[in-house]
Amino acid sequence: MHKKILFLFILTAISISSYAQLKSGPMVGYADYREVMLWVQTDKAAKVKINYWEQGKISTKKATDEIMTTKENAYVAKLLADDAYPGKVYDYELIINGKLVKRPYPLQFKTQTLWQFRTDPPNFKFAFGSCTYVSEPEFDRPGNSYGGNYEIFESIADKKPDFMIWTGDNAYYREVDYGTKGGMNKRMTHTRSLPEMQRLLGSASNYAILDDHDYGPNNTDRSFGLKRSSLEVFKNFWANPSYIFENEGVTGSFEWADVQFFLLDDFWWKAPTEVAHKNDRGDYLGEKQLQWLIDALSFSKAPFKIIVVGGQIINPIRAFENMSMFDKERDKLMNAIQQAKIQGVLFISGDRHHSVIHKMERPGTYPLYDFTISPLTSGPSKPLNEEINSPSMVPGTLVTERNFALAEVSGPRLNRVLKLSVHNSKGEQLWIKEFNAKDLK
């Protein structure tokens, strides 16, 4: 009798599980030479795997391990395609509970090209932007919708970037969200499920950092009580290749071709602004993260060393979450870059709900640039008057509508060029600038 009951229970569980549906994704995470991480979320417990094959060679189909999604991790599966070959484009398909789940757009990923000691580094392009607000009227503040122009993600996908860097505020925790891990999971799930986002997620690699709104409350700091839960949620919903500090922040790094990216966390170690100024405890990146960054920059041989951080670094105006609010730590970073003669440093930031380039002139060496790109779908805003009049603001680069950036890296190994363009939500180009690695020495 007991065996019969157990058998019926198993049959019922299998029957219920078979109705599981795709909630969001698939998303392509990090891509290296011989493996790519893929991310999927279902709406309930389900067995998930992905089949993949070199484009045009479906007979070579391979499969990831099959993973069971669970409520504990928001029904997320991370699936490693670890039988790939360098420099190839792969098509893939999603299998949930043994059934093919079709998507209305092509699913593909690419591995990085093995070029070292063989050829010039390959050309590539990547998109980036910050501040993704997806409206949910039931939990939004009263008034006009704060999110909009979601078609921007379709416009990014149309540009066919090799990868996308999400530079913070990739979701906006509301008051009902950041008090519990479950609330954070619900908000991340709601944002990640946006239909217009899916094609971009499924066809380009995706890397991310966080800022205050996908860390905790607005303009919070290292004292946030649920920071470890927030970190767990971030790691669950993104598929970065590494985290430098175990259980501390989202700091990491990756290389694409000959360019190195340094992904920073500007909230895990950040002191309350008032404390920083009153008691001379000016942690922004924090001593541990800052020392790692200086060491990693010194070791890197990349012609472009791109530092990705949520808040502005170069902007001298002491406002909002700019690093200039923590000027002693900012000076330490700038002095270290200059004293070590580190070449090719560029900054990418977000947060400010407008886009602009800030430039820092440095006597005797090359200038530093900070590419602030914001917002993707949040409400745009203008800079402060003192910022508009600041000599650090590069003329012709201010954008006060929803937008994204596209960076194209090209040229032979000893003459690499980065071409940066900014586009509105329809994909129309607003401006373009060019930066030569030879000029950043």
Side-chain angles (χ1 to χ4, degrees), residues 19 28 50 70 87 89 97 99 106 124 174-175 223 251 268 302 379 425:
Y19 289 105
V28 185
I50 282 176
T70 65
V89 177
N97 290 329
K99 295 183 177 181
F124 68 94
R174 276 67 139 182
E175 292 79 2
S223 68
T251 313
W268 187 270
S425 60

Side-chain angles (χ1 to χ4, degrees), residues 388-407:
I388 294 176
N389 296 321
S390 171
S392 71
M393 183 178 286
V394 175
T397 63
L398 177 61
V399 176
T400 56
E401 62 179 296
R402 293 174 175 124
N403 69 99
F404 67 93
L406 190 70

